[in-house]
């Protein structure tokens, strides 16, 4: 999938980290805080670096756990609580027409980070699956991620560090 507007992509390519380094573990440890929206006791929310739409967020446990069945009830409950907060914030900021929320389990299902379980919150607009995405494998993103992050953190009432 190519993107027409991806000014952060160069930074990602040059700071992709050592092979085998888990991007979610790095973010969980606070090592890469440019995408993090909110942190809980067991889980956190961060923007997807290659968003499907503006506000595309991931919710992940701090623990590097691949198997969904290995996540305990308290962690799962906190994840869903964060989903509720993120959905409210995205609704407030972007007024999408709908959401896709879920796990991609396995590469066949589109999982990009297969060994650190995470959940996607993807805001959807009528017509966002337009001819560009369908015919040209290209998506047009309207805004920079730092802008998205600032707006959503305000809506989540997360104090800026
Ligand atoms: Zn990890």
């Amino acid at each position: 999938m190519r993107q027409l507007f991806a000014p952060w992509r160069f930074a990602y390519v040059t700071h992709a980290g050592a092979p085998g380094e888990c991007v979610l573990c790095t973010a969980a440890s606070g090592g890469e805080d440019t995408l993090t929206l909110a942190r809980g006791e067991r889980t956190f929310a961060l923007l997807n670096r290659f968003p499907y739409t503006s506000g595309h967020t991931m919710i992940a446990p701090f623990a590097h756990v691949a198997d969904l069945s290995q996540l305990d009830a308290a962690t799962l409950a906190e994840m869903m609580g964060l989903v509720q907060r993120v959905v409210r914030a995205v609704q407030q900021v972007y007024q999408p027409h709908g959401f896709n929320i879920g796990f991609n389990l396995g590469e066949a299902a589109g999982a990009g980070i297969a060994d650190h379980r995470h959940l996607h919150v993807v805001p959807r607009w009528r017509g966002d699956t337009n001819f560009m995405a369908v015919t040209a494998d290209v998506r047009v993103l309207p805004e920079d991620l730092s802008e998205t992050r600032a707006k959503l953190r305000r809506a989540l009432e997360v104090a800026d560090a």
Side-chain angles (χ1 to χ4, degrees):
M1 183 63 66
R2 291 187 300 129
Q3 293 163 333
L4 291 183
F5 178 66
W8 54 86
R9 189 158 190 146
F10 179 73
Y12 177 74
V13 169
T14 54
H15 295 101
E21 194 177 295
C22 173
V23 295
L24 290 177
C25 282
T26 305
S29 70
E32 181 192 16
D33 206 41
T34 56
L35 299 174
T36 303
L37 292 178
R39 301 170 73 88
E41 219 172 285
R42 297 175 166 82
T43 66
F44 69 120
L46 76 166
L47 290 175
N48 193 300
R49 191 177 291 279
F50 303 107
Y52 184 80
T53 56
S54 285
H56 180 176
T57 299
M58 301 188 292
I59 317 285
F62 291 131
H64 186 90
V65 172
D67 188 345
L68 183 59
S69 66
Q70 296 300 306
L71 292 176
D72 59 47
T75 301
L76 290 170
E78 197 185 289
M79 284 180 91
M80 291 314 293
L82 257 183
V83 167
Q84 289 178 319
R85 284 182 65 199
V86 166
V87 165
R88 263 196 305 273
V90 172
Q91 271 170 339
Q92 189 186 318
V93 173
Y94 295 103
Q95 294 98 39
H97 299 132
F99 286 91
N100 287 116
I101 297 170
F103 293 97
N104 298 334
L105 300 183
E107 273 176 47
I113 308 163
D115 54 356
H116 190 142
R117 196 50 51 220
H118 58 282
L119 190 154
H120 291 267
V121 176
V122 183
R124 300 301 304 269
W125 283 263
R126 281 186 286 274
D128 64 16
T129 310
N130 63 20
F131 75 97
M132 290 285 277
V134 171
T135 64
D137 205 27
V138 166
R139 291 176 187 143
V140 183
L141 297 173
E143 100 184 340
D144 187 89
L145 286 179
S146 60
E147 209 175 308
T148 305
R149 178 175 182 265
K151 286 179 188 168
L152 288 178
R153 279 172 71 94
R154 267 197 301 278
L156 286 162
E157 293 172 346
V158 175
D160 263 310

